[in-house]
Amino acid sequence: MTDGNIARIAVEGAGVAPDRLYDYLIPDSLKPQLQIGYRVLIPYGSGKKLRQGFVFDVVEQPCCEKKVRYKNIYSLCDQAPLLSKNEIELALWLCDRTFCTPYEAAKAQLPSGLCMDAKYLLGLASDASEESLTDDTAREVFALLKNKKTYLTAEQIYEKTAGRADRAFLDRLVAEGVLITNIQALSRLGGKTLRIAELTEKAQTVAPSMLTAKQRLVLDTLRDLGSAAVNEICYYTGVSASVIFTLENKGLLLLQEQRQERLPFGARRGDGEQLPIQLTDEQQQVFERLQAQLAQKKASCSLLFGVTGSGKTSVYTRLIDEVVAHGGNSIVMVPEISLTPQTLALFYKRYGEKIAVFHSGLSAGERIDEWRRVKEGVATIAIGTRSAVFAPFDHVDFIIIDEEQEHTYKSERAPRYHAAEVAKYICARDQALLLLASATPSVETYAYAKNGRYELLALPHRYGEVSLPKVEIIDVGEGGDERSCLIGSRLSQCLADNLRAHKQAILLMNRRGYHTFVACASCKSVITCPSCSISLTYHQSNHRLMCHYCGYSEPMVEVCPVCGKETVRYSGCGTQRIEEELCQMFPSAKILRMDADTTMAKNAYEQKLRDFADGKYDIMIGTQMVAKGLDFPNVTLVGVLSADIGLYLDDYRSAEKAFDLLTQVIGRAGRRSEQGLAVIQTLSPDNEVIRFAAAQDYQNFFNSEIANRKAMIYPPFCDICMIGFLSENELGAKNAANAFLSALKASSSTEYADQKLIVIGPNPSVIRKMGNQYRFKLLIKCKNSKRFRGMIRQLLFTFSKNRVYKNVKFFADMNPASIF
């Protein structure tokens, strides 16, 4: 119940003023129920169109001193507040730190789908007559619904009558028997079914001339497959879903909803079984130190720096045991969906119903279910990727961020937060322990640990005295072993030996597809995506050229579209081509490919990794999703097929990312009783990053990298703010970037003259065009202070008011994951 008259609301899509809240009158009918955190519908702008919003505050008088005619809140969307006071405060913190709007910050904390609940539909009663209506607005509503099959939402009627038929008016018509109600749930909310297509009898006799080429392609595909999911048909044929729905309307396809398991990764069983974990003396010392920090109930942050296979998971699992024993709440974050199944298998077995899962692989309905289980106190441990940091606990006692160096913890869309920064805020608020864990911590994190900002705890040895893998660096350049990205003779020999010993192997090829480059040998033109400045990749499984950025695809070509000659050449290699070569080299071996193409189906990660762990496959080839955090006892061989990918990119983090990937994948080998072997194929055998990774020598890598960062003034010696500009017109994006630079110069020489800045650019991004948007960037080396953020916020708001650049999208990103 509220005593105020005015609600301060964060409104959906209300411009770029990051801290702007809008004042609305609270109708008397809503005062008994309305509280902070409610989701509401409100009229916004000059028209009567309704938008969603979140109530951030309730006050007696409006904040604006001008005489303004305030609008009423239209209705509440939910039976209870979705956001707590803590979450409202976190939203305001996100606004300040990430230059987003309050609505974006609030929505980020909720599971996607929650803001698309049931629709409240209205239609005419069967006996309703226009003659009985005496009110003009009622007759207007009658006219909108005079087709007795027409149903509209209350919001649609409100908008179509310019606000005359508000919720109270419509409720009166329902009470009088003029209107009837119907509740229609949005189909995408449940997420319980998979749509499967199969041919009808009519499809067997339809004349090909009656169908388009795309429709014939779909029918031919289903004749081969029998039945398939709609998303699989779209992938293999390159058609859109609308083609499939057209065939259904023609009676040629039957679409059926196949029920899917609602619980993520299978059912939970009981309360779990907390079997004892045996720690080594080294692990025990680290555990006792962290246990003491937990007991202090003070905000603290520690870095658990342990080599691959040192048992970091065992240490933080024991800490979670402590939190559970005292009735507390924990959050466990992993960087990739591919790591979630193994982590979940361990945690479900140990904690059962106490687990809730958060990541993008869940359906909308599953996400809502898991969110509610935390909200209601059923689950006390949240496990997942970046979004798990927003698990709606009233109080958090312990947060662990595994593989803390991973760029996936940084959001690339508003709000552009880093999960570790949000975790620090939550731990400071709740006086909790934050544990960052990695074998290859980010340069910034390790520097903070070295200078005492974080406590540094080390596990320098593998669990059980298991030796680190032996590493061989193979030169595949000129005069070296042989082909630069396929399987060289030494690696081939090692694979053969491994198969004879009935051991498993993991091969890393950080590019998917078959051929990664298609060009004409005559005119030298490259086959590129029409929407992105990137070459298309050939996928053999569907015989199409595909763009890995926007999803565009087209059939493979043999004739050059520019010069018309049959001189198109396919080159480069990806995971599909490696899979084919492995099948030819080892025809009796069972090969598993793990990349974005083979794991697009729901729960595909879990099933494939479980099959590999059960020994159903001998060799797993994949992109970086196979490189980190996975633990397979029978894997004794790891191969890196092209270690140079990503090593020389135009990004100050390229060396760090390459070292991390190589070190992590090497660490997948020999994690039990026998020493493993890693074979690295490279064009740069003398590169120090590769040498440091081969030796698992993080300390010397850090010393070299921190010296480079200091000389070039990069983090941790500064922060970087990237201002991005996007437009369908290249000149428009460029001019906008230059105009912003001029405004920045003027501001930093007058009102903000105290700010020390180094500005780079503006320059086009490495991928100049993506999704039909040309991209320019401005990099600002700075100190991430409240005053600096205030300057940027002011510039962004002023820039948004300039109609000259109305067709240019722009954003600010503090310490972006990539400066491409």
Side-chain angles (χ1 to χ4, degrees), residues 550-565:
C550 71
Y552 169 84
S553 74
E554 63 182 50
M556 64 176 294
V557 297
E558 296 181 358
V559 176
C560 176
V562 177
C563 68
K565 296 181 180 179

Side-chain angles (χ1 to χ4, degrees), residues 85-241:
K85 181 182 178 182
N86 278 348
E87 289 165 328
I88 292 293
E89 291 174 354
L90 175 55
L92 294 172
W93 181 87
L94 283 169
C95 289
D96 173 59
R97 293 284 176 154
T98 68
F99 309 105
C100 70
T101 66
Y103 183 86
E104 290 169 333
K107 189 178 178 182
Q109 299 180 64
L110 298 172
S112 59
L114 191 64
C115 292
M116 298 178 290
D117 213 333
K119 285 184 177 180
Y120 179 71
L121 299 177
L122 294 166
L124 284 178
S126 58
D127 57 351
S129 64
E130 189 173 7
E131 290 74 18
S132 64
L133 303 176
T134 58
D135 183 272
D136 289 342
T137 303
R139 285 193 288 270
E140 191 176 356
V141 173
F142 187 94
L144 289 172
L145 301 171
K146 63 182 178 181
N147 182 339
K148 295 298 174 68
K149 294 183 179 180
T150 298
Y151 280 87
L152 295 176
T153 66
E155 295 81 11
Q156 289 171 328
I157 297 173
Y158 177 87
E159 293 168 8
K160 290 179 181 292
T161 60
R164 288 182 289 277
D166 60 16
R167 189 62 176 264
F169 181 85
L170 295 174
D171 287 343
R172 180 172 64 81
L173 292 182
V174 171
E176 293 173 356
V178 178
L179 301 181
I180 58 174
T181 63
N182 182 28
I183 299 295
Q184 180 190 67
L186 291 177
S187 60
R188 55 179 165 174
L189 180 61
K192 294 183 181 179
T193 58
L194 185 67
R195 190 167 289 181
I196 303 294
E198 59 183 38
L199 297 175
T200 64
E201 290 185 8
K202 183 178 177 181
Q204 308 299 335
T205 57
V206 65
S209 60
M210 301 296 292
L211 303 171
T212 67
K214 290 183 178 180
Q215 292 170 351
R216 289 195 297 271
L217 182 59
V218 170
L219 295 187
D220 290 343
T221 300
L222 282 173
R223 289 188 181 102
D224 292 336
L225 298 176
S227 64
V230 170
N231 63 334
E232 294 173 331
I233 297 171
C234 293
Y235 172 73
Y236 283 108
T237 62
V239 306
S240 65

